[in-house]
Amino acid sequence: MEKRPHFTTGESFAILKRIVRYTFPFKKTFGISLLFSLLLALTNMLMPLIIQRFMDDYIRTGKATVRIALLFAITYLSANLFKMVFQYLERYLFTKASLKTVEHIRNTLFTKINTLGVKFFDSTPAGSLVSRLTNDTETVRDFWNVFLAIIEGSFGMVTALIAMFALNFQISLYFLIFIPIMLFLIWFYQRYSSVVYRTMRERLSQLNSQLNESISGMAIIQQFNQEKRLTREFEKINNAYFLDRKRMVRMNSLLLNPVINMLQTLALVIILSLFSHRALSNNVEIGIIYAFTTYISNFFSPMGMVMGNLSIYQDGLVSSSRILDLMDNTELAPKQLINNSAKITEGAIEFKNVSFAYDQKNLVLKNISFKVNPGETVALVGHTGSGKSSIINLFMRFYDFDEGEITIDGYSIKELPLGELRTKVGLVMQDSFLFYGDIYHNIALLDRNISENDVREAARFVDAEHFIEGLNKQYHAKVIERGTGYSSGEKQLLSFARTIVRKPKILVMDEATANIDTETEAVIQKSLRTMRKGRTTIAIAHRLSTINDADQILVLDHGQIVERGTHDELIAKEGIYYKMYQIQSHHEF
C-alpha cells in the first residue's frame, strides 16, 4: 500500500475492519470493559444530581438536618467509590484485552514469518521484520487506547447532554451549537497532527538508522577520519527532529487544553447568562445551575483526552497496514504434496532436466541433470553466479521449481514429508550461525529426543570435543549472540556436530571451508571426510584442492553443466576446471 500523509476514509475503514478481527478472541473482555465504561459515565451523570437534589430540596427550603446531610454525604461518597471501582475495572480489563490482542497479533505474525519462503528473506531487511514484530505491534496496542478514549469520551458527553436536557430542555438547546464546533476542531486537529506526527516518526527513524550505522561502523569511521562528517549529518537530522517535535508541542499547546478551556468558558458564560436572564422573571434553583456547570465540565473534559490520542490514530493505521501487508504476503515456502509412505532410506539423488528462475523470467539453471548414487560425493564448482547455490536451494526446498524433477530414492522431493527431508538431509553452510545459550543447546537445538550423550558423541565424531573439553564449563560453556568469542573453525565444528547428531543420510555442504584459515582447514577437512563416510554428499567447493576425492565433479557456467567427471578426468581434459585448478594452485603456491 502506498504511504501517504493520511489514508482515505475507505482505506482507513478497510484497515480497521481487518485489524479489529484480531480482538474477536477477547471480545468478551472488551465488552465487559465497555460495560464498566458505561457505568462510569452513568455514575458521573448521577453524582451532580445528588448535590443538586440536596441543594434545591433541602438547603434552599431549610429542610436540611444533620441526619439528611450525613445521608447525602454517604451517598455521594458511595458514588465516588463506585466510580473508582468502575474506572479501575474498565482500564484494567481493556488494557488486559489489548495486551492479549497484541500478543495474538505477534504470535500470528511470527507464525506467518515462519511460513514465508527464503525468497522473501533474501529481499527483506531483517530490521524491517523486527520493527513490524515489535514497534508496529506496540503501536497497535496504543491504537486501542484511542478507541477507549473515544468510547469513554462519547459516553461522558452523551450522558452529560441527556442530564442537561432532563434538567432544562430549552437552555440545553443553546448548548448544541458547540457540538459542530467540537467536531470541526477534532477533524482539524486529527488532519494536521497526523501529518506532523508522521514526519516526526520518519525523522526519528532516520535518527535511529544514523545512530545504529555509526555505532556498527565505528572502526571504519575512525580509520578513515569520518567523525566530523558523521557528526554534522547526525546534528542535521537531530535538529530536524527537534523542529518537528517543536511543531507538535506548539500544536498541542494551542489546540488541546487552551482551546478546550476557552470553549468550556464560553459555554459557561452563555449558560449562566441564560439562567441570569431567566432569574429576572422566575426563580432559578441554584442546584440546577451547579449541575449544569458540572455537566459542561463533564462534556468538555473528555475532549482533551480524545484529541490528545488522535495523534496516535494515524500512526496506528500505518502500523496496522504494515502488519496486514506482511500477513498478506504470498511468498510462502514451497508446499509439499505429502506422501506419507515416501521415506529416505538409501540417499540416491537425481536431477532430471531442472530449470529455474528466481524472477520467473531469467533462468539461472538450465536443464540440470545428474545422478548421485548412495554414499557417493558430487562436487559443484564454478565461478560466482554459475548456479551452484541455486541447486542447493532447490534441493533443500527453499525455492520451488516448475521445470524438471528432483528425486531422492525415487521419490520426488515435492512429495517427501518436510520433516523427513529436514531430518534425513543435513545442511552445513559456510557461515555458521550460533544461538545465544550454551554449546549443548546449540548442537541439540532443544530437540528432546537428543540426549547429552548424543551431543558428546556427535562432537567426538567431528573432532570438536578437543576444544569443547578445554572450555571452563565444556558443553555448558556460554555462547553469546552469533557465537562471538569462538573462532570460525570452532563455530564450523559446532555446526558439523549439530548436523551429525541428527544422523542424516544425505549431506549438503555450501562451501563449508570458505571462511577457514589454512591451518584450521586441515582439522575441518578431516571432520568432513569422517562425516561423508557412508553418506551421499553434495558439496559446493570453494577450494578445488578439497574435492580431489569426489566421485563426480560438476562444472557449472551460467546455469549449465559444461563439464563433468572425476578430478583426474577433468584435469586431463584441460578445460574450464583445469584452468580454475591451475589458477588456484598458482595462488596457493
Side-chain angles (χ1 to χ4, degrees), residues 504-553:
K505 292 294 296 182
I506 299 171
L507 284 178
V508 178
M509 298 181 177
D510 187 356
E511 303 192 59
T513 62
N515 298 324
I516 307 299
D517 59 82
T518 305
E519 184 178 347
T520 307
E521 185 180 347
V523 178
I524 299 296
Q525 284 299 330
K526 181 183 176 183
S527 298
L528 288 174
R529 284 193 292 270
T530 304
M531 291 169 65
R532 283 163 45 191
K533 287 181 181 178
R535 293 184 172 89
T536 308
T537 303
I538 299 178
I540 292 179
H542 177 70
R543 297 175 182 172
L544 302 184
S545 59
T546 65
I547 57 167
N548 292 346
D549 61 342
D551 298 285
Q552 184 180 187
I553 299 173

Coordinates of all heavy atoms in Angstrom, one line a residue, residues 504-553:
P504 N 21.9 -37.8 9.6 CA 21.4 -37.6 8.2 C 21.9 -38.7 7.2 O 23.0 -39.1 7.4 CB 21.8 -36.2 7.8 CG 23.1 -36.0 8.5 CD 22.9 -36.7 9.8
K505 N 21.1 -39.0 6.2 CA 21.5 -39.9 5.2 C 22.3 -39.1 4.1 O 23.1 -39.7 3.3 CB 20.3 -40.7 4.6 CG 19.7 -41.7 5.5 CD 20.6 -42.8 5.8 CE 21.0 -43.6 4.6 NZ 21.9 -44.8 5.0
I506 N 21.9 -37.9 4.0 CA 22.5 -37.0 2.9 C 23.1 -35.8 3.5 O 22.5 -35.2 4.4 CB 21.4 -36.6 1.9 CG1 20.8 -37.9 1.2 CG2 21.9 -35.7 0.8 CD1 19.6 -37.6 0.4
L507 N 24.3 -35.4 3.0 CA 24.9 -34.2 3.5 C 24.9 -33.1 2.3 O 25.2 -33.5 1.2 CB 26.4 -34.4 3.9 CG 26.6 -35.1 5.3 CD1 28.0 -35.3 5.5 CD2 26.0 -34.2 6.4
V508 N 24.6 -31.9 2.7 CA 24.7 -30.8 1.7 C 25.6 -29.8 2.3 O 25.4 -29.3 3.4 CB 23.3 -30.2 1.4 CG1 23.5 -29.0 0.4 CG2 22.4 -31.2 0.8
M509 N 26.7 -29.5 1.6 CA 27.7 -28.5 2.1 C 28.0 -27.4 1.2 O 28.4 -27.6 0.0 CB 29.1 -29.3 2.4 CG 28.9 -30.4 3.4 SD 30.5 -31.2 3.7 CE 30.0 -32.4 4.9
D510 N 27.6 -26.2 1.7 CA 27.8 -25.0 0.9 C 29.1 -24.3 1.3 O 29.1 -23.4 2.1 CB 26.6 -24.1 1.1 CG 26.5 -22.9 0.1 OD1 27.5 -22.7 -0.6 OD2 25.6 -22.1 0.2
E511 N 30.2 -24.6 0.6 CA 31.5 -24.0 0.8 C 31.8 -24.0 2.3 O 32.1 -23.0 2.9 CB 31.5 -22.6 0.2 CG 31.2 -22.6 -1.3 CD 31.5 -21.3 -1.9 OE1 32.7 -20.9 -1.9 OE2 30.6 -20.7 -2.5
A512 N 31.8 -25.2 2.9 CA 32.0 -25.3 4.3 C 33.3 -24.8 4.8 O 33.5 -24.6 6.0 CB 31.8 -26.8 4.8
T513 N 34.3 -24.7 4.0 CA 35.7 -24.3 4.4 C 36.0 -22.9 3.8 O 37.2 -22.5 3.9 CB 36.7 -25.3 3.9 OG1 36.8 -25.4 2.5 CG2 36.5 -26.7 4.5
A514 N 35.1 -22.2 3.3 CA 35.4 -20.9 2.6 C 36.0 -19.9 3.6 O 36.8 -19.1 3.2 CB 34.1 -20.3 2.0
N515 N 35.5 -19.8 4.8 CA 36.0 -18.8 5.8 C 37.0 -19.3 6.8 O 37.2 -18.7 7.8 CB 34.8 -18.2 6.5 CG 33.8 -17.5 5.6 OD1 34.2 -16.9 4.6 ND2 32.5 -17.7 5.8
I516 N 37.6 -20.4 6.5 CA 38.6 -21.1 7.4 C 40.0 -20.8 7.0 O 40.3 -21.0 5.8 CB 38.3 -22.6 7.5 CG1 36.8 -22.8 7.8 CG2 39.1 -23.2 8.6 CD1 36.3 -22.2 9.1
D517 N 40.9 -20.6 7.9 CA 42.3 -20.4 7.6 C 42.9 -21.8 7.2 O 42.3 -22.8 7.5 CB 43.1 -19.8 8.8 CG 42.9 -20.6 10.0 OD1 43.7 -21.6 10.2 OD2 42.1 -20.3 10.9
T518 N 44.1 -21.8 6.6 CA 44.7 -23.0 6.1 C 45.0 -24.0 7.2 O 44.8 -25.2 7.1 CB 46.0 -22.6 5.4 OG1 45.8 -21.7 4.4 CG2 46.6 -23.9 4.7
E519 N 45.4 -23.5 8.4 CA 45.8 -24.4 9.5 C 44.5 -25.1 10.0 O 44.5 -26.3 10.2 CB 46.5 -23.7 10.6 CG 46.9 -24.5 11.7 CD 47.7 -23.8 12.8 OE1 48.0 -22.6 12.6 OE2 47.9 -24.3 13.9
T520 N 43.5 -24.3 10.2 CA 42.2 -24.9 10.7 C 41.6 -25.8 9.7 O 40.9 -26.7 10.0 CB 41.2 -23.8 11.1 OG1 41.9 -22.9 12.0 CG2 40.0 -24.3 11.8
E521 N 41.8 -25.5 8.4 CA 41.2 -26.3 7.3 C 41.5 -27.7 7.4 O 40.7 -28.6 7.1 CB 41.6 -25.7 6.0 CG 40.9 -26.4 4.8 CD 41.3 -25.8 3.4 OE1 41.9 -24.8 3.4 OE2 41.0 -26.5 2.4
A522 N 42.8 -28.1 7.8 CA 43.2 -29.5 7.9 C 42.3 -30.2 8.9 O 41.9 -31.3 8.7 CB 44.6 -29.5 8.4
V523 N 41.9 -29.5 10.1 CA 41.0 -30.2 11.0 C 39.7 -30.3 10.4 O 39.0 -31.3 10.6 CB 41.0 -29.3 12.3 CG1 40.0 -29.9 13.3 CG2 42.4 -29.2 12.9
I524 N 39.2 -29.2 9.8 CA 37.9 -29.3 9.2 C 37.8 -30.3 8.1 O 36.8 -31.1 8.0 CB 37.5 -27.9 8.6 CG1 37.5 -26.8 9.6 CG2 36.2 -27.9 7.9 CD1 36.5 -27.0 10.7
Q525 N 38.8 -30.4 7.3 CA 38.8 -31.4 6.2 C 38.7 -32.9 6.8 O 38.0 -33.7 6.2 CB 40.0 -31.3 5.3 CG 39.9 -30.1 4.3 CD 38.7 -30.2 3.4 OE1 38.3 -31.3 3.0 NE2 38.2 -29.1 3.0
K526 N 39.4 -33.1 7.8 CA 39.4 -34.4 8.5 C 38.0 -34.7 9.0 O 37.4 -35.8 8.8 CB 40.4 -34.4 9.7 CG 40.4 -35.8 10.4 CD 41.3 -35.7 11.6 CE 41.3 -37.0 12.4 NZ 42.1 -37.0 13.6
S527 N 37.3 -33.7 9.6 CA 35.9 -33.9 10.0 C 35.0 -34.1 8.9 O 34.1 -34.9 8.9 CB 35.5 -32.6 10.8 OG 36.3 -32.4 12.0
L528 N 35.2 -33.4 7.8 CA 34.4 -33.6 6.6 C 34.5 -35.0 6.0 O 33.5 -35.6 5.6 CB 34.7 -32.5 5.5 CG 34.3 -31.1 5.8 CD1 34.9 -30.1 4.7 CD2 32.8 -30.9 5.9
R529 N 35.7 -35.5 5.9 CA 35.9 -36.8 5.4 C 35.2 -37.9 6.3 O 34.6 -38.8 5.8 CB 37.4 -37.1 5.3 CG 38.0 -36.5 4.1 CD 39.4 -37.1 3.9 NE 40.3 -36.7 5.0 CZ 41.1 -35.6 5.0 NH1 41.0 -34.7 4.0 NH2 41.9 -35.4 6.0
T530 N 35.2 -37.6 7.6 CA 34.6 -38.5 8.6 C 33.1 -38.5 8.4 O 32.4 -39.5 8.4 CB 34.9 -38.2 10.0 OG1 36.4 -38.2 10.2 CG2 34.3 -39.1 11.0
M531 N 32.5 -37.3 8.2 CA 31.1 -37.1 8.1 C 30.6 -37.7 6.8 O 29.5 -38.2 6.7 CB 30.8 -35.6 8.1 CG 31.0 -34.9 9.4 SD 30.9 -33.1 9.3 CE 29.2 -32.9 8.8
R532 N 31.4 -37.6 5.7 CA 30.9 -38.1 4.4 C 30.9 -39.6 4.3 O 30.2 -40.1 3.4 CB 31.9 -37.5 3.3 CG 31.6 -36.1 3.0 CD 32.7 -35.4 2.3 NE 33.3 -36.3 1.2 CZ 34.4 -36.0 0.5 NH1 35.1 -35.0 0.9 NH2 34.8 -36.8 -0.4
K533 N 31.6 -40.3 5.1 CA 31.6 -41.8 5.0 C 30.2 -42.4 5.2 O 29.5 -42.2 6.2 CB 32.5 -42.4 6.1 CG 34.0 -42.1 5.8 CD 34.9 -42.7 6.9 CE 36.4 -42.5 6.7 NZ 37.2 -43.0 7.7
G534 N 29.8 -43.1 4.2 CA 28.5 -43.8 4.2 C 27.4 -42.9 3.9 O 26.2 -43.3 4.1
R535 N 27.6 -41.6 3.6 CA 26.6 -40.7 3.3 C 26.7 -40.1 1.9 O 27.8 -39.8 1.4 CB 26.6 -39.5 4.3 CG 26.3 -39.9 5.7 CD 26.2 -38.7 6.6 NE 25.7 -39.1 8.0 CZ 26.5 -39.5 8.9 NH1 27.8 -39.6 8.8 NH2 26.0 -39.8 10.1
T536 N 25.5 -39.9 1.3 CA 25.5 -39.2 0.0 C 25.8 -37.7 0.2 O 25.2 -37.2 1.1 CB 24.2 -39.4 -0.7 OG1 23.8 -40.8 -0.8 CG2 24.2 -38.8 -2.1
T537 N 26.7 -37.1 -0.6 CA 27.1 -35.8 -0.3 C 27.0 -34.9 -1.5 O 27.5 -35.3 -2.6 CB 28.5 -35.7 0.3 OG1 28.6 -36.5 1.5 CG2 28.9 -34.3 0.7
I538 N 26.4 -33.7 -1.4 CA 26.5 -32.7 -2.4 C 27.3 -31.6 -1.8 O 26.9 -31.0 -0.8 CB 25.1 -32.2 -2.9 CG1 24.3 -33.3 -3.5 CG2 25.3 -31.1 -3.9 CD1 22.9 -32.9 -3.9
A539 N 28.4 -31.2 -2.4 CA 29.3 -30.2 -1.8 C 29.6 -29.1 -2.8 O 30.1 -29.4 -4.0 CB 30.6 -30.8 -1.3
I540 N 29.4 -27.8 -2.5 CA 29.9 -26.7 -3.2 C 31.3 -26.5 -2.8 O 31.6 -26.3 -1.7 CB 29.0 -25.5 -3.0 CG1 27.6 -25.7 -3.6 CG2 29.7 -24.2 -3.6 CD1 26.7 -24.5 -3.3
A541 N 32.2 -26.5 -3.8 CA 33.6 -26.4 -3.5 C 34.2 -25.0 -3.8 O 34.0 -24.5 -4.9 CB 34.4 -27.4 -4.3
H542 N 34.8 -24.4 -2.7 CA 35.4 -23.1 -2.9 C 36.9 -23.4 -3.2 O 37.4 -22.7 -4.1 CB 35.3 -22.4 -1.6 CG 36.0 -21.0 -1.6 ND1 35.5 -20.0 -2.3 CD2 37.1 -20.6 -1.0 CE1 36.3 -19.0 -2.2 NE2 37.3 -19.3 -1.3
R543 N 37.5 -24.3 -2.6 CA 38.9 -24.6 -2.9 C 38.9 -26.0 -3.6 O 38.5 -27.0 -3.0 CB 39.7 -24.7 -1.6 CG 39.8 -23.3 -0.9 CD 40.5 -23.4 0.5 NE 40.5 -22.1 1.1 CZ 40.9 -21.9 2.4 NH1 41.4 -22.9 3.1 NH2 40.9 -20.7 2.9
L544 N 39.4 -26.0 -4.8 CA 39.3 -27.2 -5.6 C 40.2 -28.3 -5.0 O 39.9 -29.5 -5.3 CB 39.7 -26.9 -7.0 CG 38.9 -25.8 -7.7 CD1 39.4 -25.7 -9.2 CD2 37.4 -26.2 -7.7
S545 N 41.2 -27.9 -4.2 CA 42.1 -29.0 -3.7 C 41.4 -29.8 -2.6 O 41.8 -30.9 -2.3 CB 43.3 -28.3 -3.0 OG 42.9 -27.4 -2.0
T546 N 40.2 -29.4 -2.2 CA 39.5 -30.1 -1.1 C 38.5 -31.2 -1.7 O 37.9 -31.9 -1.0 CB 38.6 -29.2 -0.3 OG1 37.6 -28.6 -1.1 CG2 39.5 -28.1 0.4
I547 N 38.4 -31.3 -3.1 CA 37.4 -32.2 -3.7 C 38.1 -33.2 -4.6 O 37.5 -33.8 -5.5 CB 36.3 -31.4 -4.4 CG1 37.0 -30.5 -5.5 CG2 35.5 -30.6 -3.5 CD1 36.0 -30.0 -6.5
N548 N 39.4 -33.4 -4.4 CA 40.1 -34.3 -5.3 C 39.5 -35.7 -5.2 O 39.6 -36.5 -6.2 CB 41.6 -34.4 -4.8 CG 42.3 -33.1 -5.1 OD1 41.8 -32.3 -5.8 ND2 43.5 -33.0 -4.5
D549 N 38.9 -36.1 -4.1 CA 38.4 -37.5 -3.9 C 36.9 -37.6 -4.3 O 36.3 -38.6 -4.0 CB 38.7 -38.0 -2.5 CG 38.0 -37.1 -1.5 OD1 37.6 -36.0 -1.8 OD2 37.8 -37.6 -0.3
A550 N 36.3 -36.5 -4.8 CA 34.9 -36.6 -5.1 C 34.6 -37.6 -6.2 O 35.4 -37.7 -7.2 CB 34.4 -35.2 -5.6
D551 N 33.5 -38.3 -6.1 CA 33.2 -39.3 -7.1 C 32.8 -38.7 -8.4 O 33.0 -39.3 -9.5 CB 32.0 -40.2 -6.6 CG 32.4 -41.0 -5.4 OD1 33.2 -41.9 -5.5 OD2 32.0 -40.6 -4.3
Q552 N 32.3 -37.5 -8.4 CA 31.9 -36.7 -9.6 C 32.0 -35.2 -9.3 O 31.6 -34.8 -8.3 CB 30.4 -37.1 -9.9 CG 30.0 -36.5 -11.2 CD 28.5 -36.9 -11.6 OE1 28.0 -36.6 -12.6 NE2 27.9 -37.7 -10.7
I553 N 32.5 -34.5 -10.2 CA 32.7 -33.1 -10.2 C 31.9 -32.5 -11.3 O 32.1 -32.9 -12.5 CB 34.1 -32.6 -10.2 CG1 34.9 -33.2 -9.0 CG2 34.2 -31.1 -10.2 CD1 36.4 -33.0 -9.1

